[in-house]
Amino acid sequence: MKDVKTKILLVLSRSLSSSDGGREALIIDFIKRMSVYCDISAAVFNTKAEVEQDIIISHKNNGVSTTIVLAKPGLPSMIKNVAMSRGAFQEALFFSKYNLRKIEAFVKCEGISAVYFDMVRLFKYAEGVKNNTAAKVVYDLDDLLSLRYDLFARSNLTPVQVFGSYGKFIPIILSKVLVKKILPVILSYEAKKCREREIAVASIADVVLITSPSEKEIYQKFTGRQESIFTNFPIVNVREAIVGPGKVGEKELVWLGNNYVAHNIEALEHLISSVLPKATGFTLVVAGKTPAEFVERHRGKDYVQFVGFISCVDVLFRPGKILISPFKFGTGIKIKLLEAMSSGVAVVTNDIGFQGIPHGGNVYFTPCSSDEEIIDRVHKLTSDHSYLYGWLVEQRKVLERHFSRSYEKNIVLAIKSS
């Protein structure tokens, strides 16, 4: 007799129909892994004003059997939510009793065993489902937003770092007031409220998911909860670090990312304008979608080549290649760095790039503290075989210890347990 799959409903704050990396890609990967054991439905907010049928078709292609589209609350409802809420500001942008009743009705009608919630912003929905249905709660916190907002509140951010590309259109005087005076207060408040919600999740959720192994340990410490907490990230295939005797890293450096994202384009700008001019003899291949005006501005530099979007990273990521990522801001695990590491590419980055990547006990593969240190390490990787080999071995061990185990079976067992 064929086993009946466990029914899970994913409640998501965004559709997956226009994924270009980022959070959407992580969720699509989770669906693929869980669909072996589960029949997956989704309830999603149409935050991008997409045609509903397009959302449903796209989700079906990604392994979702049924999709219900939720309406984002209107401005009056958001204002009311803010006034009455004891939670984070972001919860007010998504909660409505109508949507909650719609989710609860679907859970009861379809016999859903567990409901997955995406990030802190959907906490009130999880609380309602826990109180009003028999379904288990699987809560994916992604990154710990309390840590992210606390860091932002204490950082000297620029308008572009805060508002992304929209920062260019906000008058400079207004943006400075917002960023320097008002935003730190808001972020400090949001950090406090997110921490309260993260602690509450430990009480109401049957399963807690966190992207970073490092943040999982932090979460366990401040909540006191140890059981049914799993890391959730795309599992990488770890390859042997093959570098032949005497071989050293190549002087053609690589960069891969969606360069429309604020933290990527700012890091790439810094790499091209400030780091590479000091790294004599090196060239850079830039892969990924990149704004046309950015490409045009740097077209005259003979040490940079833009190749655009590539469908297969194997043409870029080969053992002996070196990837430099001097991030200026951003939080959480950078999946492209893990992909590069798994291919035997030496990843050179700073403490921001290392967020979520454990490196305790490493000698070679550790964060760089300055541009000068980045350049020094790149020179060593291209001149010293033992240094390159030691670096790649440590990368492989980090992947094997922290990023090569998948927990779908554990999640399903926790859902099925009484």
Side-chain angles (χ1 to χ4, degrees):
M1 181 178 176
K2 187 177 180 180
D3 290 339
V4 177
K5 288 187 174 183
T6 301
K7 290 186 176 183
I8 292 183
L9 172 67
L10 308 186
V11 182
L12 308 175
S13 58
R14 72 208 87 185
S15 79
L16 308 175
S17 56
S18 57
S19 172
D20 188 16
R23 182 67 182 156
E24 292 92 337
L26 290 175
I27 294 173
I28 290 172
D29 181 83
F30 177 72
I31 290 171
K32 290 178 180 177
R33 290 184 281 116
M34 289 295 292
S35 61
V36 176
Y37 310 98
C38 303
D39 178 74
I40 298 174
S41 300
V44 302
F45 287 88
N46 187 4
T47 56
K48 304 170 187 174
E50 300 170 82
V51 177
E52 288 193 10
Q53 192 60 31
D54 290 346
I55 294 175
I56 292 169
I57 292 172
S58 175
H59 282 207
K60 181 81 72 174
N61 293 337
N62 282 312
V64 177
S65 58
T66 304
T67 298
I68 57 176
V69 180
L70 305 173
K72 250 193 127 174
L75 183 59
S77 295
M78 291 182 188
I79 294 172
K80 183 180 178 180
N81 286 342
V82 170
M84 299 181 62
S85 176
R86 296 179 180 178
F89 281 130
Q90 58 191 280
E91 294 176 48
L93 304 178
F94 290 92
F95 183 72
S96 79
K97 291 183 179 179
Y98 173 79
N99 284 333
L100 177 58
R101 288 195 293 268
K102 192 173 184 179
I103 291 168
E104 291 174 354
F106 185 86
V107 168
K108 294 172 182 177
C109 179
E110 297 297 324
I112 300 295
S113 298
V115 185
Y116 164 106
F117 295 93
D118 176 32
M119 303 179 70
V120 163
R121 63 193 63 164
L122 301 182
F123 178 83
K124 292 189 73 173
Y125 289 105
E127 193 175 45
V129 166
K130 184 72 174 181
N131 292 334
N132 301 322
T133 77
K136 298 289 183 69
V137 170
V138 178
Y139 214 115
D140 193 340
L141 290 170
D142 188 21
D143 300 327
L144 294 177
L145 293 185
S146 60
L147 300 181
R148 174 186 293 183
Y149 293 140
D150 180 65
L151 174 64
F152 285 171
R154 293 183 287 105
S155 301
N156 186 25
L157 299 175
T158 68
V160 171
Q161 290 171 349
V162 175
F163 303 111
S165 57
Y166 295 104
K168 301 175 184 177
F169 304 104
I170 300 174
I172 187 166
I173 295 177
L174 177 59
S175 67
K176 283 185 176 180
V177 171
L178 287 172
V179 172
K180 303 297 182 183
K181 303 295 184 182
I182 300 174
L183 196 63
V185 176
I186 296 174
L187 289 172
S188 295
Y189 173 87
E190 195 74 346
K192 177 184 175 182
K193 291 301 178 181
C194 283
R195 175 56 60 96
E196 292 174 0
R197 289 311 200 198
E198 288 161 358
I199 292 172
V201 164
S203 299
I204 72 167
D206 298 279
V207 177
V208 179
L209 305 178
I210 297 177
T211 303
S212 161
S214 302
E215 291 191 359
K216 174 190 169 185
E217 294 180 4
I218 294 171
Y219 186 75
Q220 289 174 313
K221 287 179 181 177
F222 75 71
T223 64
R225 172 170 171 163
Q226 304 299 318
E227 74 285 351
S228 298
I229 303 177
F230 308 108
T231 48
N232 182 35
F233 45 77
I235 304 304
V236 295
N237 296 315
V238 186
R239 306 179 191 178
E240 185 68 27
I242 302 174
V243 284
K247 178 171 178 165
V248 292
E250 300 179 24
K251 290 206 168 187
E252 182 183 84
L253 310 175
V254 296
W255 169 279
L256 175 65
N258 178 2
N259 300 316
Y260 281 87
V261 177
H263 66 260
N264 280 348
I265 197 67
E266 188 156 336
L268 183 57
E269 177 68 55
H270 181 71
L271 175 57
I272 293 174
S273 299
S274 301
V275 178
L276 279 176
K278 304 173 190 174
T280 307
F282 288 90
T283 59
L284 176 70
V285 175
V286 178
K289 296 178 181 179
T290 306
E293 64 273 16
F294 184 92
V295 175
E296 188 62 31
R297 187 165 72 250
H298 294 290
R299 190 179 298 279
K301 297 179 174 67
D302 57 6
Y303 54 84
V304 182
Q305 177 188 6
F306 293 93
V307 297
F309 175 78
I310 56 173
S311 58
C312 180
V313 298
D314 289 346
V315 302
L316 191 71
F317 290 164
R318 300 193 306 272
K321 288 282 189 181
I322 301 171
L323 182 146
I324 302 182
S325 296
F327 291 107
K328 306 298 288 183
F329 69 103
T331 59
I333 291 177
K334 314 298 186 290
I335 300 302
K336 293 301 180 188
L337 301 190
L338 299 182
E339 293 177 349
M341 290 163 58
S342 72
S343 298
V345 173
V347 172
V348 182
T349 187
N350 51 19
D351 57 345
I352 296 175
F354 261 91
Q355 285 185 13
I357 301 177
H359 55 86
N362 285 359
V363 174
Y364 304 97
F365 181 55
T366 58
C368 297
S369 58
S370 66
D371 291 348
E372 289 69 29
E373 187 174 6
I374 287 176
I375 294 169
D376 178 65
R377 293 191 184 189
V378 167
H379 277 296
K380 287 182 180 178
L381 288 166
T382 58
S383 61
D384 186 334
H385 171 266
S386 62
Y387 188 85
L388 172 65
Y389 184 78
W391 188 289
L392 296 179
V393 167
E394 286 186 350
Q395 283 189 172
R396 189 178 75 248
K397 288 181 178 178
V398 167
L399 293 175
E400 289 173 343
R401 291 170 183 168
H402 303 287
F403 297 100
S404 61
R405 183 179 176 186
S406 190
Y407 293 96
E408 297 83 55
K409 289 184 179 179
N410 305 72
I411 295 169
V412 174
L413 287 173
I415 292 171
K416 289 183 175 180
S417 65
S418 59

